[in-house]
């Protein structure tokens, strides 16, 4: 029979919130409790008798609590196979009683690291006995039910109530799978901590708390998000975020964090169709919207400052999917929430990741995030004419956008306003032509505008075309064997060109 009655439970947890209901339910079925330290006191205060682990093992807790449960009387009771005659005989010979339920969680290792704990404190939060108990109970799921996290308390309580403190094989196997998810994540966190100094080339990344999405990039694809969005955002309005929403929000907040001054970005399919800075959110939005009043429809909007009513009144005229901001005036929020499906996110913190990875071929590739923002200190004037301060400001502004746009890309801008972008083209010339055509279709005069390129110009054709349309300043990383051809053309046409030394490919 797959159903097993729980008669004896080992309970030893760090977090005790929610544990009382489980203890009461087990006590109703006369389950015997084995426990240690604080958990033992907790159960006894609820009015139930507890067998101390020390009584079971014949040893006290030693080495500052590092060794408590590591003993055959404990692990034998968990691991011996009830249907193996040899195991049963040995259990009887060594007086090892069965343990049918193990409720154990792990020391808060990640929390200690996150709080900036010193090395000694962090090391002491590496659980030994707990993780061994979890693995042992999960391995012997045919006989033992394992509860490895307080996140499982509600589910196991319902199980105990429904089945009178019994469990079926399917129940035990599910909780075993949950247990190995807990232990694998814990071990990955420990490895990551140690590998900060060692730099061992090994890919270990664990994200618990997966959330199923409506679908993936397309309706026929399954989608799941792994992470803790609630730490980044408070969702103030709207429907559930989709896969594509999440991808675009990521693009939006990575771009907006480039700016200290008041800025506004409009994203469509991860690329900016409008970016501007100004003295107010309203003005920044209107300037960003000007760049592409068509693509902004259904876009993802983000700003780095509080949205007031004046800004909200303008933004509310547009149909958009998502708006992200650090704060909202109450009157602004009330107006923006008038559309029930409109997603409004209050951003609580910036992204802090330093690495990115993705699946590729039959493996995974990982790299450092492109965290370099081109600054005035990076600029090396390559032409006889240096850019004016106004041109320099425009070049650096355009470069920030270029870094977050799909290659090959060209950005055309003036100080504080993007005019247009050429995005994801196989030819840099095509990217420039696309940007010029788009800027002119929305009424922008390119005379005196700046041009940013994510990579070097292999030929002078881009600066030649740019000059024909009145563009006077260029920023690029440099590095082509034919750089001088572009420099010579700029010198002969009174254009300023600066090199940064930093390429910003984005694929």
């Amino acid at each position: 029979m797959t159903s097993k009655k729980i008669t004896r439970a080992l309970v030893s947890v760090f977090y005790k919130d929610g544990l009382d209901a489980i203890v009461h339910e087990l006590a109703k079925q006369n389950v015997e409790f084995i426990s240690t330290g604080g958990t033992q006191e907790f159960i006894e205060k609820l009015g139930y008798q507890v067998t101390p682990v020390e009584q079971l093992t014949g040893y006290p807790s030693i080495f500052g609590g590092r060794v408590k449960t590591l003993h055959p009387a404990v692990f034998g009771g968990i691991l011996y196979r009830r249907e193996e005659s040899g195991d049963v005989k040995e259990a009887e010979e060594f007086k090892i009683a069965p343990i049918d339920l193990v409720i154990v969680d792990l020391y808060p290792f990640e929390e200690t690291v996150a709080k900036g704990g010193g090395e000694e404190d962090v090391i002491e939060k590496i659980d030994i006995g707990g993780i061994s108990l979890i693995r042992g109970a999960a391995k012997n799921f045919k006989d033992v039910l394992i509860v490895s996290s307080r996140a499982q308390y509600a589910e196991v309580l319902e199980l105990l109530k429904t089945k009178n403190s019994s469990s079926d094989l399917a129940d035990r196997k599910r909780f075993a799978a949950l247990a190995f998810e807990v232990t694998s994540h814990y071990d990955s966190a420990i490895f990551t901590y140690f590998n900060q100094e060692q730099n061992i080339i090994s890919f270990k990344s664990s994200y618990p708390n997966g959330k199923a999405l409506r679908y993936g990039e397309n309706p026929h694809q399954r989608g799941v998000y792994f992470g803790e969005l609630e730490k980044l955002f408070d969702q103030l309005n709207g429907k559930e975020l989709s896969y594509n929403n999440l991808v675009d929000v990521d693009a939006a907040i990575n771009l907006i964090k480039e700016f200290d001054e008041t800025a506004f970005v409009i994203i469509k399919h991860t690329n900016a169709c409008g970016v501007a800075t100004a003295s107010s959110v309203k003005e920044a939005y209107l300037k960003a919207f000007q760049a592409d009043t068509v693509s902004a429809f259904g876009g993802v909007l983000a700003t780095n400052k509080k949205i007031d009513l004046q800004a909200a009144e303008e933004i509310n005229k547009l149909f958009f999917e998502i708006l992200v901001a650090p704060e909202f005036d109450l009157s602004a929020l009330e107006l923006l929430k008038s559309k029930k499906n409109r997603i409004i996110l209050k951003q609580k913190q910036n992204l802090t990741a330093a690495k990115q990875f993705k699946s590729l071929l039959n493996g995974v590739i990982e790299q450092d995030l492109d965290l370099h923002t081109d600054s005035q200190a990076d600029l090396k004037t390559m032409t006889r004419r240096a850019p004016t301060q106004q041109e320099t400001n425009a070049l650096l502004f355009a470069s920030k956008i270029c870094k977050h746009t799909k290659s090959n890309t060209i950005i055309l801008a003036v100080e504080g306003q993007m005019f247009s972008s050429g995005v994801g083209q196989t030819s840099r010339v095509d990217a420039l032509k696309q940007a010029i055509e788009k800027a002119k279709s929305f009424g922008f005069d390119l005379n005196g505008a700046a041009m940013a390129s994510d990579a070097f110009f292999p030929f002078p054709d881009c600066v030649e075309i740019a000059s024909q349309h009145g563009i006077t300043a260029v920023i690029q990383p440099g590095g082509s064997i034919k750089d001088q051809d572009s420099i010579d053309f700029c010198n002969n046409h009174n254009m300023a060109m600066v090199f940064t030394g930093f390429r910003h490919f984005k694929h």
Side-chain angles (χ1 to χ4, degrees):
M1 293 179 63
T2 65
S3 180
K4 298 276 185 178
K5 184 74 174 176
I6 297 168
T7 60
R8 203 158 174 252
L10 171 61
V11 186
S12 181
V13 296
F14 189 89
Y15 297 106
K16 298 168 183 65
D17 43 311
L19 181 64
D20 53 345
I22 295 173
V23 171
H24 288 311
E25 190 61 34
L26 291 168
K28 286 180 186 177
Q29 301 296 324
N30 299 314
V31 172
E32 178 188 345
F33 295 108
I34 306 164
S35 193
T36 63
T39 309
Q40 178 185 336
E41 292 176 13
F42 178 85
I43 297 172
E44 288 174 339
K45 284 180 180 178
L46 293 175
Y48 304 114
Q49 187 176 346
V50 181
T51 300
V53 164
E54 293 87 347
Q55 182 179 318
L56 198 66
T57 64
Y59 280 89
S61 174
I62 56 177
F63 308 131
R66 284 188 167 199
V67 179
K68 290 183 284 190
T69 57
L70 297 169
H71 191 279
V74 176
F75 280 86
I78 293 169
L79 283 164
Y80 93 79
R81 294 159 290 186
R82 280 46 161 184
E83 296 177 5
E84 288 283 335
S85 58
D87 286 12
V88 173
K89 183 178 179 181
E90 285 184 318
E92 291 173 352
E93 179 182 352
F94 295 105
K95 298 181 172 56
I96 295 174
I99 296 172
D100 314 301
L101 169 65
V102 175
I103 303 177
V104 173
D105 61 10
L106 299 172
Y107 292 159
F109 178 85
E110 285 182 284
E111 293 88 336
T112 306
V113 173
K115 289 176 181 176
E119 183 174 280
E120 185 176 346
D121 192 20
V122 169
I123 298 305
E124 286 308 310
K125 293 300 186 294
I126 298 176
D127 207 311
I128 302 301
I131 204 163
S132 301
L133 289 167
I134 291 171
R135 289 178 65 86
K139 177 176 180 176
N140 199 24
F141 67 87
K142 288 186 177 181
D143 298 306
V144 181
L145 177 65
I146 173 64
V147 180
S148 53
S149 166
R150 58 179 168 171
Q152 300 161 19
Y153 284 1
E155 185 177 351
V156 79
L157 179 60
E158 183 61 26
L159 170 68
L160 296 174
K161 286 180 176 179
T162 303
K163 299 185 178 178
N164 296 317
S165 293
S166 293
S167 65
D168 295 332
L169 181 60
D171 302 322
R172 297 190 296 277
K173 196 167 188 178
R174 168 173 167 71
F175 277 92
L178 291 171
F180 286 121
E181 192 276 331
V182 167
T183 60
S184 63
H185 176 77
Y186 195 76
D187 284 338
S188 291
I190 295 169
F191 169 77
T192 299
Y193 174 78
F194 277 91
N195 205 37
Q196 292 176 108
E197 294 181 4
Q198 306 306 320
N199 199 28
I200 298 166
I201 299 176
S202 176
F203 184 78
K204 296 278 191 301
S205 192
S206 176
Y207 289 84
N209 308 317
K211 177 179 173 58
L213 304 172
R214 295 196 301 275
Y215 49 80
E217 200 163 7
N218 299 292
H220 64 276
Q221 294 171 269
R222 180 174 174 265
V224 181
Y225 177 76
F226 297 95
E228 297 173 300
L229 277 179
E230 66 279 1
K231 289 186 177 180
L232 281 178
F233 307 108
D234 286 331
Q235 183 165 345
L236 306 179
N237 192 65
K239 59 188 178 181
E240 193 174 275
L241 286 157
S242 70
Y243 181 100
N244 292 330
N245 289 157
L246 291 166
V247 172
D248 283 340
V249 167
D250 178 73
I253 63 175
N254 272 293
L255 176 52
I256 200 67
K257 77 175 183 178
E258 295 282 352
F259 302 95
D260 295 321
E261 66 272 44
T262 301
F264 205 100
V265 305
I266 303 172
I267 297 290
K268 201 69 175 288
H269 296 293
T270 75
N271 293 304
C273 56
V275 183
T277 60
S279 58
S280 69
V281 174
K282 174 184 174 180
E283 185 186 353
Y285 164 71
L286 289 173
K287 287 170 67 178
F289 179 62
Q290 232 181 347
D292 190 339
T293 57
V294 176
S295 297
F297 183 87
V300 172
L301 285 53
T303 183
N304 55 358
K305 304 295 181 184
K306 179 191 284 190
I307 293 183
D308 57 21
L309 182 59
Q310 290 73 30
E313 286 172 340
E314 291 297 334
I315 295 167
N316 194 53
K317 296 174 185 176
L318 175 69
F319 171 78
F320 61 88
E321 286 276 340
I322 302 170
L323 175 61
V324 185
E327 286 187 88
F328 297 84
D329 279 344
L330 288 177
S331 55
L333 184 59
E334 185 178 351
L335 175 62
L336 293 166
K337 289 171 68 174
S338 60
K339 303 287 195 301
K340 68 176 184 177
N341 286 331
R342 178 184 282 168
I343 299 169
I344 300 176
L345 301 176
K346 179 181 177 182
Q347 187 175 353
K348 297 188 285 189
Q349 62 183 53
N350 271 325
L351 298 175
T352 57
K355 300 277 188 181
Q356 65 181 165
F357 59 88
K358 64 180 178 181
S359 59
L360 192 80
L361 299 175
N362 62 346
V364 171
I365 54 173
E366 180 186 62
Q367 67 171 352
D368 297 335
L369 277 168
D370 184 359
L371 297 177
H372 180 81
T373 299
D374 296 332
S375 68
Q376 191 145 353
D378 297 316
L379 305 185
K380 183 178 180 182
T381 301
M382 305 304 297
T383 49
R384 286 192 296 267
R385 183 175 82 78
T388 66
Q389 189 58 55
Q390 188 175 16
E391 285 176 325
T392 298
N393 294 343
L395 291 170
L396 292 173
F397 172 82
S399 178
K400 289 177 180 179
I401 304 165
C402 204
K403 169 183 164 182
H404 294 274
T405 308
K406 193 170 180 66
S407 299
N408 288 310
T409 186
I410 294 288
I411 302 293
L412 303 181
V414 292
E415 183 178 359
Q417 185 178 28
M418 184 181 91
F419 282 174
S420 62
S421 60
V423 176
Q425 298 300 302
T426 53
S427 159
R428 198 159 300 281
V429 170
D430 286 346
L432 174 57
K433 288 179 178 178
Q434 182 190 56
I436 291 169
E437 180 182 351
K438 191 170 184 180
K440 293 193 169 182
S441 72
F442 286 100
F444 289 109
D445 181 1
L446 292 176
N447 285 297
M451 174 172 74
S453 175
D454 59 333
F456 64 61
F457 298 121
F459 305 102
D461 43 12
C462 280
V463 291
E464 291 168 0
I465 295 168
S467 176
Q468 293 168 14
H469 293 274
I471 293 163
T472 58
V474 181
I475 186 170
Q476 57 139 320
S480 168
I481 59 173
K482 294 190 175 183
D483 275 343
Q484 194 60 46
D485 291 349
S486 294
I487 294 168
D488 289 344
F489 181 88
C490 289
N491 281 331
N492 292 332
H493 293 80
N494 197 35
M495 296 174 72
M497 179 183 284
V498 296
F499 285 3
T500 65
F502 290 89
R503 190 181 72 185
H504 293 293
F505 270 164
K506 188 172 189 293
H507 295 107

